Amino acid sequence: MKKISLCLVAQSPLAITAGATTGVNHETLHYIPGTMLLGAIAKVYKNEHNLQGLADEDPTFKDLFLSGKVQWGYALPSTKDGKTSIPQPLCFQKLKGHGGLAKENCEDEAFVYNTLFLKDFSELEKLYQTEFKDEYLQGGESLPKPKKMGEGFITNTKEPHKVDVNESYTMHVALDQTRKAVDAQLYGYSSINEGTKFVSEIYVEDSLDSTLEQLLLTLKDRLLFVGTSKSAGYGCIRVESVSKVETVKSQVCSYHKQHHRFT
């Protein structure tokens, strides 16, 4: 099994919605699903090889996009130095009244506990009394209150930080079939801002690694389109770089064990 890292940059706002919505507000995901990336690259391949309507009969197309021999990983927001992030584990919790993980390249302290390594709640209480002794005494015998941190992405380091994904919200006027504005019909998109960078780790069987690498290298500096509302100016990404092929033992990523608290 080989791994290829694909670096992408948003050239326009990205509206990556999860399925259909019947409401007027469309919330974006903060990552690009692997199936969406697969679809964008498969479209380019079909156009360049004139496979419209015949893709299922092309053996290379089937190997790359239909057989499961290539695992198209999510394109996750990258750090400022271009490294991939990981989803924030659900076992991370912050204390009520204190901030969560600090932002990337920020020196602020973060009071976050990895509950996976706490045997029971009393262990968290003991840590709280030790590390926040003055605050605990002032507040009487009140117990600490862990709070969920929600979804997000963090740096994959021993001292993780939050990877911010900036987004905007824009209202649009609905159009009819003749492309004219429909009175009193509005809808809005939240979108990932232009300039946001992503990294996708793609795993491929050894027999196909050269074929896939050559395909991805031809896409360098090319534009791909993902997500929804492309006609409104959303969804353009550029392939910034393609890494060298690496040999991996498994396509399953494992999280590094973390300490109880990160500061």
Side-chain angles (χ1 to χ4, degrees):
M1 184 71 85
K2 301 290 176 61
K3 180 181 76 174
I4 302 176
S5 291
L6 188 66
C7 297
L8 307 161
V9 184
Q11 299 298 110
S12 70
L14 305 180
I16 312 294
T17 54
T21 177
T22 56
V24 296
N25 296 315
H26 303 256
E27 297 292 332
T28 185
L29 301 173
H30 286 170
Y31 60 91
I32 303 172
T35 52
M36 194 173 287
L37 186 61
L38 179 158
I41 295 176
K43 184 177 181 179
V44 172
Y45 185 94
K46 286 194 293 185
N47 289 339
E48 294 194 345
H49 292 80
N50 297 316
L51 294 179
Q52 284 74 11
L54 302 172
D56 290 351
E57 301 176 9
D58 183 82
T60 302
F61 183 89
K62 289 194 293 185
D63 278 344
L64 292 175
F65 304 108
L66 303 177
S67 67
K69 296 177 182 178
V70 180
Q71 299 179 25
W72 299 83
Y74 288 1
L76 302 179
S78 67
T79 63
K80 292 180 180 179
D81 58 0
K83 295 179 180 178
T84 187
S85 61
I86 60 172
Q88 182 172 266
L90 296 177
C91 57
F92 281 16
Q93 293 191 15
K94 64 180 181 180
L95 289 178
K96 184 176 181 180
H98 294 277
L101 287 169
K103 296 180 181 179
E104 186 184 3
N105 296 328
C106 179
E107 298 300 326
D108 293 345
E109 281 196 322
F111 301 102
V112 175
Y113 290 87
N114 186 344
T115 57
L116 185 64
F117 298 103
L118 294 176
K119 295 179 180 179
D120 52 46
F121 189 75
S122 63
E123 190 173 340
L124 178 58
E125 179 187 359
K126 186 185 300 181
L127 287 169
Y128 186 84
Q129 293 178 23
T130 303
E131 300 183 30
F132 302 96
K133 184 177 180 180
D134 294 339
E135 185 175 334
Y136 181 81
L137 292 175
Q138 292 174 7
E141 295 300 320
S142 60
L143 296 175
K145 295 181 179 179
K147 301 281 288 186
K148 292 182 180 179
M149 297 176 60
E151 296 181 355
F153 297 90
I154 62 174
T155 55
N156 189 7
T157 65
K158 189 175 181 179
E159 301 268 337
H161 288 79
K162 180 180 178 182
V163 177
D164 264 352
V165 180
N166 296 319
E167 64 177 75
S168 302
Y169 186 82
T170 308
M171 295 298 298
H172 297 270
V173 178
L175 302 177
D176 62 18
Q177 293 180 346
T178 64
R179 305 297 293 173
K180 292 183 178 179
V182 180
D183 291 339
Q185 291 191 26
L186 299 174
Y187 65 96
Y189 281 116
S190 66
S191 59
I192 304 169
N193 287 351
E194 179 181 347
T196 303
K197 295 188 176 185
F198 302 86
V199 175
S200 172
E201 294 183 343
I202 303 170
Y203 296 90
V204 55
E205 292 186 3
D206 293 351
S207 59
L208 280 175
D209 71 286
S210 296
T211 303
L212 179 61
E213 184 183 21
Q214 289 303 312
L215 169 61
L216 296 178
L217 286 172
T218 64
L219 299 178
K220 188 176 183 302
D221 292 325
R222 293 275 298 274
L223 300 180
L224 305 174
F225 292 89
V226 295
T228 191
S229 202
K230 301 178 185 66
S231 61
Y234 294 92
C236 181
I237 57 175
R238 176 174 59 85
V239 178
E240 184 175 60
S241 65
V242 180
S243 76
K244 295 181 180 180
V245 178
E246 301 176 15
T247 302
V248 292
K249 293 182 179 179
S250 172
Q251 67 271 38
V252 179
C253 296
S254 61
Y255 293 115
H256 292 291
K257 288 187 176 181
Q258 308 291 348
H259 297 295
H260 286 305
R261 182 166 73 93
F262 308 105
T263 55

